[in-house]
C-alpha cells in the first residue's frame, strides 16, 4: 500500500463521501481530466480528498470518456484543518484576484472573503470561479481542506456585524501601525484584511483604527501589491500564531 | 514643494544622473509612456529615481511624441539600499517567473539570480525582460533601488564558487529542516534558495545539506508554489534580519 501511495501523483478533490471501499463516481469533467488529460487508466492510483474525510488512496476501477469510477483503498492522511484565520481582501485585476485566492489556500487560510471597499473598482466577483481556484490550489498544495470563498460583501456591512472575538490584522502602508512582528501573539480567531491598491479611504481608516479588536501592521518599508501583501501577512500570522510554528 | 511632491503620482526609473537642476532627457519609449499613455504635460510633477541618487521630484519641461525632458527640483528621498539578501530561484512557467522577479523586488531582495537545477526545465531566461519587470516593480513599490537580475546560471556552478561568508537559506519541503522561524537571526550577507516545482534532486539535496553555511527551512505544512515560497521566505528573513524589523 505504501508503494501504491507513493505513486499517487494525482490529487483530486471530489464532493462525495470517502471511506473504506467507498466507490466514487466521476462526472464528465473529472473523467475528462483524469483519463483524457492525465492519461490514467484502470488500476491507476489517485489521491482523493473532499475537505471532510481526509485524504484517501483510491484506484481507478472504471475509465470512460464521459464517466468513471474510483474505489477508496486506505486513508493516507486525516483531515487537517487550517487555523481559524480568514483572509479579507479587495478584489483587483482578475489575474491577481485569482492569485490571492490560490495563495491564501496554499498559506492555510480557513475562509476567503472578497470585500468591496470605498476604493475597490469591482462591483462583483465570479465566486464560482474563485472557488474553483481554491480547489485547484488545495489539490496542488497537498491540503485536505478547501477554504470556502465568499461572495463579494461590502467592508462596512461586514464590520457592522463583526464578532469582536475575531481580531483583525489590517495592513495599510498609510496607517501608523507597528511592525507586523509586534502584533499580538495569542491565538484565537483572526482575520487578515488587505486593502485595495488605492488604499483605504479616510472614513475606512478612521473606522478600523477605532475598532478595539483591530490591529494595524506595516509590511516593511516598500509598498506591496495586494497579492504580495496577502502572502506576507499570512506568513507572519502563520509563524507567530498558526500552523507553521 | 511638499504639495508638489504629494501630487507626483508617477514614478519613473531613468538611467541618467539625478541632482539639483539636472535635466533628464527621455527616450522614445519613456516619452510615449509619460505623455501618450499617462497624459502628462509640461509642468507635471514626476518622481524620478535611477537606483543611485535616491528619489527626485522633477517637472516636465518638454513633452513631445518622440522625446521629452524633465528637470530635477529637489531630492525627496535618499537612496535606500535593501539588506544584502539575494534570491536564487529555479525559473518556472513564464508568468510565475515574472511574478517572482516582481515580488522579490517589492520584498527588498538586493539581487535576483535565476538558477538552473537538475529538475529545472528552462534552458534559458530572457534576462532583459526579467530586468524590466524588476524596474517596473521598483517604480510601483516606491523603492529607490532596482535589484540586478542575473542571467541563468547552473546551481552547481554557483555553489562551486560560492563565498561561504554568504549564508544560504534553502526551502524544500522534502528536506528535514527546522521551522523557518528557528533559522539563525544574525545578519550579514544571505541568499534564499527556492527549489523548482519538482523539488531538488537527491544529489542537490546532499550537496546543500553538507554545506556548513546552508540552513534548511520548512515553510509550513502545505506545499507552496515557488512564487508563494519566495514571498514567504523573504518575509521571514526581512522580519528577522532585514529592513522590516
Amino acid at each position: 500500500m505504501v508503494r501504491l501511495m507513493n505513486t499517487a501523483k494525482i490529487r483530486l478533490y471530489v464532493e462525495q463521501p470517502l471511506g473504506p471501499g467507498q466507490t466514487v463516481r466521476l462526472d464528465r469533467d473529472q473523467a475528462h481530466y483524469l483519463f483524457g488529460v492525465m492519461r490514467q487508466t484502470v488500476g491507476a492510483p489517485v489521491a482523493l480528498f473532499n475537505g471532510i474525510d481526509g485524504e484517501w488512496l483510491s484506484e481507478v476501477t472504471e475509465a470512460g470518456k464521459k464517466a468513471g469510477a474510483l474505489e477508496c483503498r486506505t486513508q493516507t492522511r486525516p483531515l487537517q484543518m487550517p487555523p481559524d484565520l480568514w483572509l479579507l481582501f479587495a478584489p483587483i485585476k482578475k489575474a491577481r484576484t485569482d492569485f490571492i485566492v490560490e495563495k491564501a489556500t496554499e498559506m492555510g487560510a480557513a475562509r476567503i472573503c472578497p470585500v468591496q471597499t470605498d476604493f475597490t473598482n469591482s462591483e462583483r466577483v465570479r465566486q464560482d470561479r474563485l472557488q474553483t481556484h481554491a480547489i485547484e490550489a488545495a489539490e496542488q498544495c497537498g491540503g485536505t481542506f478547501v477554504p470556502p470563498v465568499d461572495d463579494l460583501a461590502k467592508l462596512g456591512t461586514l464590520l457592522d456585524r463583526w464578532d469582536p472575538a475575531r481580531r483583525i490584522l489590517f495592513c495599510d502602508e498609510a496607517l501608523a501601525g507597528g511592525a507586523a512582528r509586534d502584533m499580538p501573539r495569542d491565538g484565537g480567531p483572526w482575520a487578515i484584511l488587505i486593502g485595495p491598491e488605492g488604499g483605504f479611504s479616510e472614513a475606512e481608516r478612521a473606522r478600523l483604527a477605532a475598532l478595539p479588536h483591530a490591529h494595524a501592521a506595516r509590511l516593511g518599508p516598500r509598498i506591496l501589491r495586494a497579492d504580495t501583501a496577502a502572502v506576507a501577512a499570512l506568513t507572519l500570522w502563520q509563524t507567530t500564531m498558526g500552523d507553521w510554528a
Side-chain angles (χ1 to χ4, degrees), chain A residues 9 22 24 54 78 98 103 106 111 126 162 187 198 204 235:
Chain A
K9 294 202 169 142
Q22 182 82 41
V24 175
D98 294 351
K103 266 79 197 96
E106 287 176 46
R111 186 169 170 176
R126 284 283 308 274
W162 195 264
E204 286 168 338
T235 302

Side-chain angles (χ1 to χ4, degrees), chain A residues 144-166:
Chain A
T144 50
F145 173 80
V146 178
V149 182
D150 289 348
D151 213 336
L152 188 67
K154 288 207 161 97
L155 177 61
T157 311
L158 278 183
L159 294 179
D160 285 342
R161 56 178 190 224
W162 195 264
D163 174 4
R166 179 176 300 277

Side-chain angles (χ1 to χ4, degrees), chain A residues 187-209:
Chain A
W190 274 86
I192 288 170
L193 169 60
I194 302 291
E197 308 257 309
F200 294 106
S201 70
E202 282 311 312
E204 286 168 338
R205 287 202 171 101
R207 182 163 186 194
L208 286 164

Side-chain angles (χ1 to χ4, degrees), chain A residues 21-43:
Chain A
Q22 182 82 41
T23 294
V24 175
R25 298 214 62 83
L26 299 180
D27 65 26
R28 194 182 176 127
D29 286 350
Q30 291 168 323
H32 172 72
Y33 169 75
L34 203 55
F35 310 128
V37 180
M38 300 304 288
R39 306 267 166 191
Q40 300 300 298
T41 51
V42 168

Side-chain angles (χ1 to χ4, degrees), chain A residues 55-75:
Chain A
E55 181 187 87
W56 287 76
L57 175 68
S58 74
E59 201 179 296
V60 175
T61 51
E62 190 191 318
K65 276 200 172 173
K66 298 179 183 175
L70 299 152
E71 196 176 300
C72 288
R73 294 285 179 245
T74 184
Q75 194 189 42

Side-chain angles (χ1 to χ4, degrees), chain A residues 46-148:
Chain A
V46 176
L48 299 178
F49 68 107
N50 60 5
I52 298 165
D53 298 316
E55 181 187 87
W56 287 76
L57 175 68
S58 74
E59 201 179 296
V60 175
T61 51
E62 190 191 318
K65 276 200 172 173
K66 298 179 183 175
L70 299 152
E71 196 176 300
C72 288
R73 294 285 179 245
T74 184
Q75 194 189 42
T76 41
R77 292 167 62 198
L79 174 67
Q80 189 181 12
M81 291 289 294
D84 189 1
L85 173 66
W86 298 357
L87 178 72
L88 278 61
F89 74 99
I92 36 177
K93 283 180 220 154
K94 180 177 167 298
R96 289 189 190 264
T97 298
D98 294 351
F99 261 65
I100 289 180
V101 169
E102 174 190 297
K103 266 79 197 96
T105 304
E106 287 176 46
M107 296 293 303
R111 186 169 170 176
I112 299 171
C113 315
V115 295
Q116 194 175 5
T117 66
D118 291 345
F119 295 160
T120 306
N121 290 324
S122 310
E123 298 281 314
R124 52 191 288 277
V125 295
R126 284 283 308 274
Q127 186 277 336
D128 56 339
R129 198 169 51 80
L130 296 182
Q131 187 66 66
T132 301
H133 278 288
I135 289 170
E136 287 170 0
E139 288 174 341
Q140 196 270 337
C141 78
T144 50
F145 173 80
V146 178

